[in-house]
Amino acid sequence: MNPNTPHTSLKARMARGTTFGMNIYSTACMAIEVAGNWGLDFVFIDAEHTALGVDSQMEKLLLAANSAAIPGLVRVRGTLEWDIRKALEMGAAGVIVPQVHTAAQMREIIRYSKFPPLGRRGGDSSVRSAGYAGPGFDWATYTQAENTRSVIVPMAESYEFFDNIDEILDVEGIDAVHFGPADYSLSRQLPVDYRLGNPEVLQRLQLLIEKCHARSIQVMVPCFPADQATAQRLIEMGSDMLLMGSDLSWLNQAGQQIAALKHALA
């Protein structure tokens, strides 16, 4: 049984210490519900590289997350006001925004995701995050609660982010930064290695952790391979939020094991 309760927000889980999540690339509720059943701290639902949009399919997955008492973070398609606002209105615990390169872009993300005085998020009471203007609805209470609840996570996945790192991190409203070793490597024309084997990529993560922690911002990192030794190494470096594989990676692992067994028995 899930040891968490529906009332344990993602921010509360983050405040307790290291959190563990997994990426969701499929459109199936099952993987999210299984993650919730096993007490994972969050799921990372991807709309950037998948067939998912911020639409009724996404709503279905967020409802599954709510049912399984596991916060759902949505990686939107970019710095898009509609995607950011609608994901939060559907009940996402927060948004992960890819390809953040400048402080101006970061300020736009906060503008789209937070109500005044922090931002200029557009509002409507006919949405899930507002309880559909049900009993006791009050605009002032709602907007303040949303500003407190929503977790905002830009991605550090390009050399431009690190060229502008101090200016980006100084923008008020960032809760965590997700380090993307693959896209950072691609931006620098380096071999992609999720194991952080390239000294430059490892140094960038170390720099990100140092600068984020100086501002009380957490760091999210993919844990590859998703094993205890790698997780321990990342935690000792200062990583706060670990992504322990994905629904796709675990399916591939099972497929690989079955294929090896098939070959051995042939």
Side-chain angles (χ1 to χ4, degrees):
M1 180 178 292
N2 186 347
N4 298 305
T5 72
H7 306 293
T8 308
S9 70
L10 179 54
K11 284 192 177 179
R13 298 176 193 213
M14 292 165 66
R16 293 191 306 220
T18 308
T19 51
F20 297 85
M22 66 180 290
N23 296 69
I24 302 296
Y25 292 114
S26 71
T27 59
C29 296
M30 185 185 299
I32 294 173
E33 294 176 274
V34 168
N37 289 346
W38 286 102
L40 274 68
D41 296 297
F42 66 94
V43 285
F44 171 137
I45 308 171
D46 187 43
E48 182 192 12
H49 293 295
T50 70
L52 286 167
V54 184
D55 52 20
S56 57
Q57 284 279 70
M58 180 63 70
E59 180 182 38
K60 177 185 73 173
L61 299 188
L62 289 171
L63 286 171
N66 184 62
S67 175
I70 184 168
L73 287 168
V74 173
R75 178 160 67 179
V76 294
R77 295 174 294 173
T79 309
L80 302 169
E81 181 175 7
W82 183 90
D83 272 17
I84 292 169
R85 183 179 68 248
K86 199 154 190 175
L88 295 172
E89 288 177 341
M90 285 181 179
V95 290
I96 299 169
V97 184
Q99 298 295 336
V100 175
H101 306 308
T102 67
Q105 193 178 357
M106 191 66 238
R107 285 190 290 270
E108 284 190 330
I109 293 165
I110 299 302
R111 179 181 175 87
Y112 301 154
S113 59
K114 300 292 186 180
F115 289 109
L118 298 176
R120 289 294 302 277
R121 173 177 158 184
D124 196 300
S125 60
S126 62
V127 294
R128 180 171 294 107
S129 60
Y132 305 108
F137 175 78
D138 171 76
W139 270 106
T141 302
Y142 166 58
T143 55
Q144 182 178 355
E146 279 295 281
N147 280 353
T148 300
R149 179 188 74 86
S150 57
V151 175
I152 308 305
V153 186
M155 291 194 68
E157 55 179 348
S158 66
Y159 68 82
E160 292 96 336
F161 184 100
F162 288 93
D163 286 346
N164 300 302
I165 187 168
D166 288 308
E167 293 85 354
I168 293 171
L169 295 181
D170 282 341
V171 176
E172 183 182 0
I174 301 171
D175 297 291
V177 176
H178 175 32
F179 181 62
D183 273 332
Y184 176 80
S185 297
L186 291 172
S187 80
R188 291 279 292 117
Q189 300 182 58
L190 301 170
V192 172
D193 178 11
Y194 278 101
R195 297 174 187 264
L196 307 175
N198 186 287
E200 178 180 332
V201 178
L202 180 61
Q203 188 274 335
R204 286 293 181 264
L205 174 56
Q206 292 169 328
L207 177 67
L208 181 66
I209 291 170
E210 175 190 340
K211 288 186 175 290
C212 282
H213 285 185
R215 297 167 171 85
S216 299
I217 296 170
Q218 295 198 2
V219 177
M220 180 189 294
V221 186
C223 182
F224 183 85
D227 57 27
Q228 183 175 342
T230 306
Q232 189 65 46
R233 174 190 177 213
L234 291 172
I235 291 169
E236 289 173 357
M237 287 177 60
S239 304
D240 306 285
M241 306 176 75
L242 301 187
L243 291 163
M244 306 300 292
S246 69
D247 50 0
L248 178 60
S249 68
W250 292 113
L251 281 171
N252 269 325
Q253 183 174 313
Q256 184 179 26
Q257 291 172 349
I258 294 166
L261 177 63
K262 175 184 175 183
H263 179 76
L265 296 176

